[in-house]
Amino acid sequence: MTLSKVSLAVAMSGVIGLTACETLTDPNNPNRQAQTGALIGAGLGAIVGSTGENNPGDRNRGAIVGALVGAAGGAGIGTLLDRQEAELRQSLGSNATIVNNGNQLIVTLPQDILFATGDATLSGALRGDLSALATSINNYPDTTVNVIGHADNTGGAAFNQDLSARRAQAVSSVLIQSGVSPNRIRSIGRGEDAPIASNLTPEGRAQNRRVEITITPN
């Protein structure tokens, strides 16, 4: 890559980084992921477009076209994630935690509400929420869904691995029964390998006992 191309790439990266940080840190912006996706897509498109020709004029035109195409693609994914996030927050209420990281939605449900201690049989408490989640998944068909079970470190590691896998499969089964295609869902048990809080306190262990549903655009 020539010096001018390196300079363009560095400049684009700086602009993208500063603007995306401002966009993502504004909690009142409901379209933050769409805007950030457009910025990143535009920057990457401009960099790629500028490297395809030897003539400076052609490089400039390539950068502009690449930026437009990249912005459209990035904004499209971001818009869909923003829209689905808003719909899920309305339908799931306070029972679920929803994180939109710009690449996927992560819906977290506490296992203490879903399951009795040491059991993989779903309680009736959140079946309505799982049905609402299935409806949302079906409304956005161009996504892949991972259902991931997590456990705390109470008991043996092998037991926790098996329990987390069976709980993830139980949630997956409800989503499938609610109309989600089995081809779109992957069920995964992580056992106690991915804690999000300390296992030294009851509160931390409760946070670690969870099922995460990740929704990723294809």
Side-chain angles (χ1 to χ4, degrees), residues 44-70:
L44 293 177
I47 293 169
V48 172
S50 69
T51 62
E53 302 289 347
N54 293 323
N55 184 283
D58 291 336
R59 286 203 302 271
N60 291 337
R61 285 191 293 274
I64 293 170
V65 173
L68 292 173
V69 172

Side-chain angles (χ1 to χ4, degrees), residues 127-217:
R127 280 187 174 269
D129 285 341
L130 291 177
S131 178
L133 177 60
T135 298
S136 177
I137 291 171
N138 284 331
N139 287 339
Y140 296 85
D142 294 325
T143 58
T144 299
V145 180
N146 286 342
V147 180
I148 309 168
H150 298 272
D152 63 23
N153 67 347
T154 303
F159 172 81
N160 288 328
Q161 173 62 40
D162 177 69
L163 182 63
S164 69
R166 288 189 289 122
R167 286 178 167 179
Q169 184 57 56
V171 171
S172 297
S173 295
V174 172
L175 295 178
I176 292 170
Q177 291 166 11
S178 299
V180 180
S181 169
N183 295 330
R184 297 178 59 195
I185 297 180
R186 185 171 63 150
S187 180
I188 304 167
R190 293 293 304 276
E192 58 190 61
D193 291 341
I196 58 173
S198 171
N199 276 312
L200 298 178
T201 66
E203 294 79 13
R205 290 192 293 273
Q207 292 181 58
N208 292 332
R209 296 189 296 269
R210 67 199 191 278
V211 174
E212 292 176 343
I213 299 98
T214 65
I215 304 170
T216 307

